[in-house]
Amino acid sequence: MKIGIVGSGFVGSTAAYAMVLQGVGSEFVLVDINRKLADAHAQDILHATPFAHPARVIAGDYEALKGADIVVIAAGVAQKPGETRLQLLERNAQVFADVVPKICQNAPDAILLIATNPVDVMTQVATRLSGLPPERVIGSGTILDTARFRALLGEYLGVSPQSVHAYVLGEHGDSEVLVWSEARVGGVRVFDFAEQINRPITEEVRKQIDDGVRLAAYRIIEGKGATYFGIGAGLARLARAILSDERAMLTVSILTEEVEGVTEVALSLPRIVGRQGVVATLPVSLSEDERLALRKSAEILKQVATQLGY
């Protein structure tokens, strides 16, 4: 299975590395405006294959994407001092206006995975530019926020995060919604489980975990300049679900017809991901507060996309 990575900076190269280590895909093409950077990452990742899984890893131009099953788009520009979010979006939309048609021309059957931030709006931009059905243009969305939520709950409760079933919906950003009302350990509601093991989830604990999820990116960026390990692993997880036709439930972002009364907006909901992309969106059971928060998140994203002209 062939995977293209367009944009081989921190996120793109880490995603390729995570996929190689996990044996997701057998052929990788790294495309970047800086060909030396793409070449260097391709060589470095190739040298890891004897310790992981056999794979062909090369750098190339857009024509080298021919036959790709998946193309990850991690291309974009950094925010300039004093630049507004909308100005950054406008510049990244210009980047996408250049790269998305080239990808679609050379890999028309590929599923697009969008990693460029702000990922929800960029997913909407990529969907419009590509003309592909929304289910084939998938933003990484809150897949990482959901992982953070599960990890922090697991750490507090002293259980494996794989046993924690909880998710984050809406924007991958400040307005995201942690769904506490449906969080569970195994089949037990998380609040009941916490009481049973004498680790009650108080308002203070909730706030600590909420801040740990919602503010994680800010803290990581302050410490090392960028986040890439978590999202790299998340993109590898998404690629595996697609290539294996796993039909896994993941919180990913696609352009959605209607969410809480807001129409035509890209954000994350629980979705089933398989070989054809997103094959179903699951109905969401939320508390009234969570429902209002999800609507607000959708409204924020809709407003930004509209200002951008998408």
PDB file of all heavy atoms in Angstrom, residues 146-183:
ATOM      1  N   THR A 146      -8.743  13.298  21.899  1.00  0.00           N
ATOM      2  CA  THR A 146      -9.370  12.114  22.480  1.00  0.00           C
ATOM      3  C   THR A 146      -8.315  11.221  23.132  1.00  0.00           C
ATOM      4  O   THR A 146      -8.528  10.691  24.236  1.00  0.00           O
ATOM      5  CB  THR A 146     -10.141  11.345  21.385  1.00  0.00           C
ATOM      6  OG1 THR A 146     -11.291  12.116  21.005  1.00  0.00           O
ATOM      7  CG2 THR A 146     -10.596   9.982  21.877  1.00  0.00           C
ATOM      8  N   ALA A 147      -7.180  11.053  22.481  1.00  0.00           N
ATOM      9  CA  ALA A 147      -6.092  10.253  23.059  1.00  0.00           C
ATOM     10  C   ALA A 147      -5.594  10.884  24.359  1.00  0.00           C
ATOM     11  O   ALA A 147      -5.317  10.183  25.344  1.00  0.00           O
ATOM     12  CB  ALA A 147      -4.949  10.113  22.059  1.00  0.00           C
ATOM     13  N   ARG A 148      -5.469  12.206  24.365  1.00  0.00           N
ATOM     14  CA  ARG A 148      -5.039  12.892  25.588  1.00  0.00           C
ATOM     15  C   ARG A 148      -6.045  12.685  26.714  1.00  0.00           C
ATOM     16  O   ARG A 148      -5.669  12.454  27.870  1.00  0.00           O
ATOM     17  CB  ARG A 148      -4.874  14.388  25.290  1.00  0.00           C
ATOM     18  CG  ARG A 148      -3.674  14.725  24.427  1.00  0.00           C
ATOM     19  CD  ARG A 148      -3.726  16.164  23.921  1.00  0.00           C
ATOM     20  NE  ARG A 148      -2.506  16.525  23.189  1.00  0.00           N
ATOM     21  CZ  ARG A 148      -2.421  17.509  22.322  1.00  0.00           C
ATOM     22  NH1 ARG A 148      -3.490  18.253  22.041  1.00  0.00           N
ATOM     23  NH2 ARG A 148      -1.280  17.779  21.703  1.00  0.00           N
ATOM     24  N   PHE A 149      -7.331  12.801  26.394  1.00  0.00           N
ATOM     25  CA  PHE A 149      -8.397  12.609  27.381  1.00  0.00           C
ATOM     26  C   PHE A 149      -8.318  11.200  27.968  1.00  0.00           C
ATOM     27  O   PHE A 149      -8.338  11.013  29.194  1.00  0.00           O
ATOM     28  CB  PHE A 149      -9.741  12.853  26.696  1.00  0.00           C
ATOM     29  CG  PHE A 149     -10.932  12.959  27.610  1.00  0.00           C
ATOM     30  CD1 PHE A 149     -10.799  13.231  28.962  1.00  0.00           C
ATOM     31  CD2 PHE A 149     -12.214  12.815  27.091  1.00  0.00           C
ATOM     32  CE1 PHE A 149     -11.913  13.351  29.792  1.00  0.00           C
ATOM     33  CE2 PHE A 149     -13.336  12.935  27.907  1.00  0.00           C
ATOM     34  CZ  PHE A 149     -13.181  13.191  29.260  1.00  0.00           C
ATOM     35  N   ARG A 150      -8.198  10.202  27.118  1.00  0.00           N
ATOM     36  CA  ARG A 150      -8.110   8.813  27.584  1.00  0.00           C
ATOM     37  C   ARG A 150      -6.854   8.587  28.413  1.00  0.00           C
ATOM     38  O   ARG A 150      -6.890   7.905  29.444  1.00  0.00           O
ATOM     39  CB  ARG A 150      -8.122   7.870  26.378  1.00  0.00           C
ATOM     40  CG  ARG A 150      -9.443   7.854  25.608  1.00  0.00           C
ATOM     41  CD  ARG A 150      -9.333   7.014  24.348  1.00  0.00           C
ATOM     42  NE  ARG A 150      -9.050   5.624  24.661  1.00  0.00           N
ATOM     43  CZ  ARG A 150      -8.568   4.747  23.775  1.00  0.00           C
ATOM     44  NH1 ARG A 150      -8.309   5.131  22.531  1.00  0.00           N
ATOM     45  NH2 ARG A 150      -8.355   3.499  24.130  1.00  0.00           N
ATOM     46  N   ALA A 151      -5.740   9.158  27.973  1.00  0.00           N
ATOM     47  CA  ALA A 151      -4.477   8.973  28.684  1.00  0.00           C
ATOM     48  C   ALA A 151      -4.530   9.588  30.085  1.00  0.00           C
ATOM     49  O   ALA A 151      -4.087   8.964  31.066  1.00  0.00           O
ATOM     50  CB  ALA A 151      -3.327   9.581  27.878  1.00  0.00           C
ATOM     51  N   LEU A 152      -5.088  10.800  30.198  1.00  0.00           N
ATOM     52  CA  LEU A 152      -5.139  11.468  31.492  1.00  0.00           C
ATOM     53  C   LEU A 152      -6.150  10.807  32.432  1.00  0.00           C
ATOM     54  O   LEU A 152      -5.900  10.702  33.642  1.00  0.00           O
ATOM     55  CB  LEU A 152      -5.462  12.948  31.308  1.00  0.00           C
ATOM     56  CG  LEU A 152      -4.365  13.770  30.614  1.00  0.00           C
ATOM     57  CD1 LEU A 152      -4.816  15.212  30.441  1.00  0.00           C
ATOM     58  CD2 LEU A 152      -3.064  13.714  31.397  1.00  0.00           C
ATOM     59  N   LEU A 153      -7.276  10.352  31.887  1.00  0.00           N
ATOM     60  CA  LEU A 153      -8.228   9.606  32.706  1.00  0.00           C
ATOM     61  C   LEU A 153      -7.603   8.300  33.201  1.00  0.00           C
ATOM     62  O   LEU A 153      -7.737   7.945  34.373  1.00  0.00           O
ATOM     63  CB  LEU A 153      -9.502   9.308  31.910  1.00  0.00           C
ATOM     64  CG  LEU A 153     -10.570  10.400  31.875  1.00  0.00           C
ATOM     65  CD1 LEU A 153     -11.678  10.024  30.903  1.00  0.00           C
ATOM     66  CD2 LEU A 153     -11.150  10.641  33.261  1.00  0.00           C
ATOM     67  N   GLY A 154      -6.922   7.597  32.303  1.00  0.00           N
ATOM     68  CA  GLY A 154      -6.276   6.345  32.676  1.00  0.00           C
ATOM     69  C   GLY A 154      -5.222   6.560  33.754  1.00  0.00           C
ATOM     70  O   GLY A 154      -5.105   5.774  34.704  1.00  0.00           O
ATOM     71  N   GLU A 155      -4.454   7.638  33.611  1.00  0.00           N
ATOM     72  CA  GLU A 155      -3.410   7.943  34.582  1.00  0.00           C
ATOM     73  C   GLU A 155      -4.023   8.234  35.952  1.00  0.00           C
ATOM     74  O   GLU A 155      -3.539   7.741  36.977  1.00  0.00           O
ATOM     75  CB  GLU A 155      -2.586   9.136  34.102  1.00  0.00           C
ATOM     76  CG  GLU A 155      -1.409   9.481  34.986  1.00  0.00           C
ATOM     77  CD  GLU A 155      -0.572  10.602  34.405  1.00  0.00           C
ATOM     78  OE1 GLU A 155      -1.158  11.587  33.911  1.00  0.00           O
ATOM     79  OE2 GLU A 155       0.660  10.498  34.432  1.00  0.00           O
ATOM     80  N   TYR A 156      -5.090   9.014  35.984  1.00  0.00           N
ATOM     81  CA  TYR A 156      -5.720   9.357  37.257  1.00  0.00           C
ATOM     82  C   TYR A 156      -6.346   8.126  37.914  1.00  0.00           C
ATOM     83  O   TYR A 156      -6.249   7.932  39.134  1.00  0.00           O
ATOM     84  CB  TYR A 156      -6.787  10.434  37.052  1.00  0.00           C
ATOM     85  CG  TYR A 156      -7.549  10.738  38.317  1.00  0.00           C
ATOM     86  CD1 TYR A 156      -6.962  11.478  39.344  1.00  0.00           C
ATOM     87  CD2 TYR A 156      -8.859  10.278  38.491  1.00  0.00           C
ATOM     88  CE1 TYR A 156      -7.654  11.735  40.517  1.00  0.00           C
ATOM     89  CE2 TYR A 156      -9.551  10.536  39.659  1.00  0.00           C
ATOM     90  CZ  TYR A 156      -8.945  11.263  40.677  1.00  0.00           C
ATOM     91  OH  TYR A 156      -9.626  11.506  41.846  1.00  0.00           O
ATOM     92  N   LEU A 157      -6.995   7.278  37.112  1.00  0.00           N
ATOM     93  CA  LEU A 157      -7.710   6.127  37.652  1.00  0.00           C
ATOM     94  C   LEU A 157      -6.813   4.898  37.835  1.00  0.00           C
ATOM     95  O   LEU A 157      -7.239   3.902  38.422  1.00  0.00           O
ATOM     96  CB  LEU A 157      -8.884   5.773  36.732  1.00  0.00           C
ATOM     97  CG  LEU A 157      -9.968   6.851  36.611  1.00  0.00           C
ATOM     98  CD1 LEU A 157     -10.951   6.496  35.513  1.00  0.00           C
ATOM     99  CD2 LEU A 157     -10.689   7.046  37.944  1.00  0.00           C
ATOM    100  N   GLY A 158      -5.587   4.959  37.312  1.00  0.00           N
ATOM    101  CA  GLY A 158      -4.671   3.833  37.461  1.00  0.00           C
ATOM    102  C   GLY A 158      -5.025   2.652  36.585  1.00  0.00           C
ATOM    103  O   GLY A 158      -4.812   1.495  36.980  1.00  0.00           O
ATOM    104  N   VAL A 159      -5.564   2.925  35.385  1.00  0.00           N
ATOM    105  CA  VAL A 159      -5.903   1.855  34.443  1.00  0.00           C
ATOM    106  C   VAL A 159      -5.292   2.176  33.084  1.00  0.00           C
ATOM    107  O   VAL A 159      -4.914   3.318  32.804  1.00  0.00           O
ATOM    108  CB  VAL A 159      -7.436   1.670  34.292  1.00  0.00           C
ATOM    109  CG1 VAL A 159      -8.067   1.297  35.618  1.00  0.00           C
ATOM    110  CG2 VAL A 159      -8.080   2.930  33.726  1.00  0.00           C
ATOM    111  N   SER A 160      -5.205   1.165  32.249  1.00  0.00           N
ATOM    112  CA  SER A 160      -4.679   1.363  30.912  1.00  0.00           C
ATOM    113  C   SER A 160      -5.586   2.307  30.119  1.00  0.00           C
ATOM    114  O   SER A 160      -6.816   2.161  30.161  1.00  0.00           O
ATOM    115  CB  SER A 160      -4.574   0.028  30.182  1.00  0.00           C
ATOM    116  OG  SER A 160      -4.390   0.216  28.795  1.00  0.00           O
ATOM    117  N   PRO A 161      -5.010   3.247  29.378  1.00  0.00           N
ATOM    118  CA  PRO A 161      -5.859   4.130  28.553  1.00  0.00           C
ATOM    119  C   PRO A 161      -6.634   3.349  27.496  1.00  0.00           C
ATOM    120  O   PRO A 161      -7.676   3.815  27.024  1.00  0.00           O
ATOM    121  CB  PRO A 161      -4.862   5.103  27.921  1.00  0.00           C
ATOM    122  CG  PRO A 161      -3.527   4.450  28.047  1.00  0.00           C
ATOM    123  CD  PRO A 161      -3.592   3.612  29.288  1.00  0.00           C
ATOM    124  N   GLN A 162      -6.143   2.149  27.136  1.00  0.00           N
ATOM    125  CA  GLN A 162      -6.890   1.322  26.181  1.00  0.00           C
ATOM    126  C   GLN A 162      -8.220   0.845  26.759  1.00  0.00           C
ATOM    127  O   GLN A 162      -9.122   0.462  26.023  1.00  0.00           O
ATOM    128  CB  GLN A 162      -6.056   0.105  25.745  1.00  0.00           C
ATOM    129  CG  GLN A 162      -5.022   0.409  24.679  1.00  0.00           C
ATOM    130  CD  GLN A 162      -3.761   1.042  25.240  1.00  0.00           C
ATOM    131  OE1 GLN A 162      -3.586   1.131  26.447  1.00  0.00           O
ATOM    132  NE2 GLN A 162      -2.866   1.482  24.368  1.00  0.00           N
ATOM    133  N   SER A 163      -8.341   0.857  28.091  1.00  0.00           N
ATOM    134  CA  SER A 163      -9.589   0.450  28.740  1.00  0.00           C
ATOM    135  C   SER A 163     -10.542   1.617  28.949  1.00  0.00           C
ATOM    136  O   SER A 163     -11.671   1.434  29.389  1.00  0.00           O
ATOM    137  CB  SER A 163      -9.298  -0.199  30.096  1.00  0.00           C
ATOM    138  OG  SER A 163      -8.560  -1.389  29.938  1.00  0.00           O
ATOM    139  N   VAL A 164     -10.063   2.826  28.655  1.00  0.00           N
ATOM    140  CA  VAL A 164     -10.889   4.025  28.824  1.00  0.00           C
ATOM    141  C   VAL A 164     -11.567   4.363  27.504  1.00  0.00           C
ATOM    142  O   VAL A 164     -10.908   4.471  26.470  1.00  0.00           O
ATOM    143  CB  VAL A 164     -10.033   5.223  29.294  1.00  0.00           C
ATOM    144  CG1 VAL A 164     -10.906   6.473  29.418  1.00  0.00           C
ATOM    145  CG2 VAL A 164      -9.355   4.908  30.622  1.00  0.00           C
ATOM    146  N   HIS A 165     -12.872   4.511  27.541  1.00  0.00           N
ATOM    147  CA  HIS A 165     -13.643   4.866  26.349  1.00  0.00           C
ATOM    148  C   HIS A 165     -14.239   6.252  26.577  1.00  0.00           C
ATOM    149  O   HIS A 165     -15.188   6.416  27.344  1.00  0.00           O
ATOM    150  CB  HIS A 165     -14.726   3.826  26.078  1.00  0.00           C
ATOM    151  CG  HIS A 165     -14.188   2.441  25.969  1.00  0.00           C
ATOM    152  ND1 HIS A 165     -13.552   1.973  24.843  1.00  0.00           N
ATOM    153  CD2 HIS A 165     -14.134   1.434  26.883  1.00  0.00           C
ATOM    154  CE1 HIS A 165     -13.152   0.731  25.041  1.00  0.00           C
ATOM    155  NE2 HIS A 165     -13.485   0.377  26.262  1.00  0.00           N
ATOM    156  N   ALA A 166     -13.616   7.235  25.943  1.00  0.00           N
ATOM    157  CA  ALA A 166     -14.050   8.618  26.098  1.00  0.00           C
ATOM    158  C   ALA A 166     -13.630   9.370  24.848  1.00  0.00           C
ATOM    159  O   ALA A 166     -12.683   8.959  24.165  1.00  0.00           O
ATOM    160  CB  ALA A 166     -13.407   9.249  27.343  1.00  0.00           C
ATOM    161  N   TYR A 167     -14.310  10.467  24.546  1.00  0.00           N
ATOM    162  CA  TYR A 167     -13.944  11.189  23.345  1.00  0.00           C
ATOM    163  C   TYR A 167     -14.150  12.684  23.481  1.00  0.00           C
ATOM    164  O   TYR A 167     -14.852  13.163  24.355  1.00  0.00           O
ATOM    165  CB  TYR A 167     -14.677  10.653  22.103  1.00  0.00           C
ATOM    166  CG  TYR A 167     -16.142  10.358  22.262  1.00  0.00           C
ATOM    167  CD1 TYR A 167     -17.099  11.371  22.196  1.00  0.00           C
ATOM    168  CD2 TYR A 167     -16.587   9.054  22.455  1.00  0.00           C
ATOM    169  CE1 TYR A 167     -18.446  11.090  22.324  1.00  0.00           C
ATOM    170  CE2 TYR A 167     -17.936   8.769  22.585  1.00  0.00           C
ATOM    171  CZ  TYR A 167     -18.856   9.780  22.523  1.00  0.00           C
ATOM    172  OH  TYR A 167     -20.195   9.507  22.662  1.00  0.00           O
ATOM    173  N   VAL A 168     -13.463  13.390  22.582  1.00  0.00           N
ATOM    174  CA  VAL A 168     -13.535  14.841  22.491  1.00  0.00           C
ATOM    175  C   VAL A 168     -14.107  15.174  21.114  1.00  0.00           C
ATOM    176  O   VAL A 168     -13.671  14.610  20.103  1.00  0.00           O
ATOM    177  CB  VAL A 168     -12.141  15.482  22.654  1.00  0.00           C
ATOM    178  CG1 VAL A 168     -12.224  17.002  22.497  1.00  0.00           C
ATOM    179  CG2 VAL A 168     -11.539  15.109  24.004  1.00  0.00           C
ATOM    180  N   LEU A 169     -15.079  16.085  21.078  1.00  0.00           N
ATOM    181  CA  LEU A 169     -15.780  16.408  19.837  1.00  0.00           C
ATOM    182  C   LEU A 169     -15.616  17.884  19.494  1.00  0.00           C
ATOM    183  O   LEU A 169     -15.119  18.679  20.278  1.00  0.00           O
ATOM    184  CB  LEU A 169     -17.266  16.073  19.970  1.00  0.00           C
ATOM    185  CG  LEU A 169     -17.617  14.645  20.388  1.00  0.00           C
ATOM    186  CD1 LEU A 169     -19.129  14.471  20.463  1.00  0.00           C
ATOM    187  CD2 LEU A 169     -17.005  13.624  19.440  1.00  0.00           C
ATOM    188  N   GLY A 170     -16.061  18.237  18.283  1.00  0.00           N
ATOM    189  CA  GLY A 170     -16.051  19.627  17.857  1.00  0.00           C
ATOM    190  C   GLY A 170     -14.729  20.041  17.252  1.00  0.00           C
ATOM    191  O   GLY A 170     -14.102  19.294  16.496  1.00  0.00           O
ATOM    192  N   GLU A 171     -14.306  21.234  17.587  1.00  0.00           N
ATOM    193  CA  GLU A 171     -13.073  21.810  17.046  1.00  0.00           C
ATOM    194  C   GLU A 171     -11.847  21.159  17.663  1.00  0.00           C
ATOM    195  O   GLU A 171     -11.832  20.837  18.855  1.00  0.00           O
ATOM    196  CB  GLU A 171     -13.044  23.309  17.347  1.00  0.00           C
ATOM    197  CG  GLU A 171     -11.773  24.020  16.901  1.00  0.00           C
ATOM    198  CD  GLU A 171     -11.607  25.421  17.472  1.00  0.00           C
ATOM    199  OE1 GLU A 171     -12.332  25.767  18.418  1.00  0.00           O
ATOM    200  OE2 GLU A 171     -10.738  26.158  16.973  1.00  0.00           O
ATOM    201  N   HIS A 172     -10.818  20.976  16.867  1.00  0.00           N
ATOM    202  CA  HIS A 172      -9.498  20.686  17.429  1.00  0.00           C
ATOM    203  C   HIS A 172      -8.901  22.032  17.825  1.00  0.00           C
ATOM    204  O   HIS A 172      -8.218  22.699  17.051  1.00  0.00           O
ATOM    205  CB  HIS A 172      -8.613  19.988  16.390  1.00  0.00           C
ATOM    206  CG  HIS A 172      -7.178  19.850  16.829  1.00  0.00           C
ATOM    207  ND1 HIS A 172      -6.823  19.199  17.977  1.00  0.00           N
ATOM    208  CD2 HIS A 172      -6.028  20.284  16.263  1.00  0.00           C
ATOM    209  CE1 HIS A 172      -5.494  19.226  18.107  1.00  0.00           C
ATOM    210  NE2 HIS A 172      -4.996  19.901  17.080  1.00  0.00           N
ATOM    211  N   GLY A 173      -9.244  22.454  19.034  1.00  0.00           N
ATOM    212  CA  GLY A 173      -8.848  23.791  19.448  1.00  0.00           C
ATOM    213  C   GLY A 173      -9.576  24.204  20.712  1.00  0.00           C
ATOM    214  O   GLY A 173     -10.124  23.366  21.441  1.00  0.00           O
ATOM    215  N   ASP A 174      -9.614  25.489  20.961  1.00  0.00           N
ATOM    216  CA  ASP A 174     -10.091  26.009  22.242  1.00  0.00           C
ATOM    217  C   ASP A 174     -11.546  25.665  22.551  1.00  0.00           C
ATOM    218  O   ASP A 174     -11.921  25.555  23.719  1.00  0.00           O
ATOM    219  CB  ASP A 174      -9.912  27.530  22.291  1.00  0.00           C
ATOM    220  CG  ASP A 174      -8.447  27.939  22.264  1.00  0.00           C
ATOM    221  OD1 ASP A 174      -7.584  27.088  22.541  1.00  0.00           O
ATOM    222  OD2 ASP A 174      -8.167  29.117  21.955  1.00  0.00           O
ATOM    223  N   SER A 175     -12.389  25.495  21.547  1.00  0.00           N
ATOM    224  CA  SER A 175     -13.815  25.253  21.807  1.00  0.00           C
ATOM    225  C   SER A 175     -14.174  23.765  21.817  1.00  0.00           C
ATOM    226  O   SER A 175     -15.350  23.421  21.832  1.00  0.00           O
ATOM    227  CB  SER A 175     -14.674  25.974  20.754  1.00  0.00           C
ATOM    228  OG  SER A 175     -14.582  25.347  19.480  1.00  0.00           O
ATOM    229  N   GLU A 176     -13.179  22.894  21.834  1.00  0.00           N
ATOM    230  CA  GLU A 176     -13.457  21.454  21.819  1.00  0.00           C
ATOM    231  C   GLU A 176     -14.286  21.044  23.028  1.00  0.00           C
ATOM    232  O   GLU A 176     -14.275  21.695  24.071  1.00  0.00           O
ATOM    233  CB  GLU A 176     -12.160  20.662  21.773  1.00  0.00           C
ATOM    234  CG  GLU A 176     -11.274  20.849  22.978  1.00  0.00           C
ATOM    235  CD  GLU A 176      -9.887  20.255  22.765  1.00  0.00           C
ATOM    236  OE1 GLU A 176      -9.437  20.133  21.612  1.00  0.00           O
ATOM    237  OE2 GLU A 176      -9.255  19.920  23.779  1.00  0.00           O
ATOM    238  N   VAL A 177     -15.007  19.922  22.889  1.00  0.00           N
ATOM    239  CA  VAL A 177     -15.950  19.480  23.916  1.00  0.00           C
ATOM    240  C   VAL A 177     -15.523  18.113  24.443  1.00  0.00           C
ATOM    241  O   VAL A 177     -15.548  17.116  23.707  1.00  0.00           O
ATOM    242  CB  VAL A 177     -17.384  19.385  23.346  1.00  0.00           C
ATOM    243  CG1 VAL A 177     -18.360  18.973  24.443  1.00  0.00           C
ATOM    244  CG2 VAL A 177     -17.797  20.708  22.716  1.00  0.00           C
ATOM    245  N   LEU A 178     -15.124  18.063  25.714  1.00  0.00           N
ATOM    246  CA  LEU A 178     -14.831  16.787  26.364  1.00  0.00           C
ATOM    247  C   LEU A 178     -16.156  16.178  26.812  1.00  0.00           C
ATOM    248  O   LEU A 178     -16.895  16.787  27.586  1.00  0.00           O
ATOM    249  CB  LEU A 178     -13.917  16.975  27.575  1.00  0.00           C
ATOM    250  CG  LEU A 178     -12.418  17.138  27.309  1.00  0.00           C
ATOM    251  CD1 LEU A 178     -12.112  18.444  26.578  1.00  0.00           C
ATOM    252  CD2 LEU A 178     -11.641  17.068  28.616  1.00  0.00           C
ATOM    253  N   VAL A 179     -16.456  14.983  26.325  1.00  0.00           N
ATOM    254  CA  VAL A 179     -17.754  14.364  26.616  1.00  0.00           C
ATOM    255  C   VAL A 179     -17.620  13.510  27.878  1.00  0.00           C
ATOM    256  O   VAL A 179     -17.373  12.297  27.820  1.00  0.00           O
ATOM    257  CB  VAL A 179     -18.245  13.531  25.414  1.00  0.00           C
ATOM    258  CG1 VAL A 179     -19.632  12.953  25.707  1.00  0.00           C
ATOM    259  CG2 VAL A 179     -18.310  14.402  24.161  1.00  0.00           C
ATOM    260  N   TRP A 180     -17.791  14.146  29.019  1.00  0.00           N
ATOM    261  CA  TRP A 180     -17.717  13.451  30.301  1.00  0.00           C
ATOM    262  C   TRP A 180     -18.932  12.547  30.523  1.00  0.00           C
ATOM    263  O   TRP A 180     -18.823  11.504  31.167  1.00  0.00           O
ATOM    264  CB  TRP A 180     -17.642  14.474  31.431  1.00  0.00           C
ATOM    265  CG  TRP A 180     -16.309  15.133  31.575  1.00  0.00           C
ATOM    266  CD1 TRP A 180     -15.901  16.316  31.011  1.00  0.00           C
ATOM    267  CD2 TRP A 180     -15.192  14.664  32.348  1.00  0.00           C
ATOM    268  NE1 TRP A 180     -14.606  16.600  31.380  1.00  0.00           N
ATOM    269  CE2 TRP A 180     -14.151  15.609  32.208  1.00  0.00           C
ATOM    270  CE3 TRP A 180     -14.981  13.540  33.144  1.00  0.00           C
ATOM    271  CZ2 TRP A 180     -12.924  15.454  32.840  1.00  0.00           C
ATOM    272  CZ3 TRP A 180     -13.757  13.380  33.779  1.00  0.00           C
ATOM    273  CH2 TRP A 180     -12.739  14.330  33.622  1.00  0.00           C
ATOM    274  N   SER A 181     -20.073  12.944  29.998  1.00  0.00           N
ATOM    275  CA  SER A 181     -21.313  12.218  30.295  1.00  0.00           C
ATOM    276  C   SER A 181     -21.303  10.787  29.778  1.00  0.00           C
ATOM    277  O   SER A 181     -21.999   9.920  30.312  1.00  0.00           O
ATOM    278  CB  SER A 181     -22.514  12.969  29.716  1.00  0.00           C
ATOM    279  OG  SER A 181     -22.458  12.991  28.291  1.00  0.00           O
ATOM    280  N   GLU A 182     -20.501  10.516  28.738  1.00  0.00           N
ATOM    281  CA  GLU A 182     -20.469   9.169  28.166  1.00  0.00           C
ATOM    282  C   GLU A 182     -19.126   8.472  28.383  1.00  0.00           C
ATOM    283  O   GLU A 182     -18.899   7.398  27.833  1.00  0.00           O
ATOM    284  CB  GLU A 182     -20.772   9.245  26.665  1.00  0.00           C
ATOM    285  CG  GLU A 182     -22.223   9.540  26.328  1.00  0.00           C
ATOM    286  CD  GLU A 182     -23.144   8.425  26.811  1.00  0.00           C
ATOM    287  OE1 GLU A 182     -22.849   7.243  26.550  1.00  0.00           O
ATOM    288  OE2 GLU A 182     -24.151   8.740  27.469  1.00  0.00           O
ATOM    289  N   ALA A 183     -18.234   9.064  29.171  1.00  0.00           N
ATOM    290  CA  ALA A 183     -16.929   8.445  29.424  1.00  0.00           C
ATOM    291  C   ALA A 183     -17.105   7.188  30.273  1.00  0.00           C
ATOM    292  O   ALA A 183     -17.855   7.188  31.254  1.00  0.00           O
ATOM    293  CB  ALA A 183     -16.010   9.437  30.123  1.00  0.00           C
TER     294      ALA A 183
END
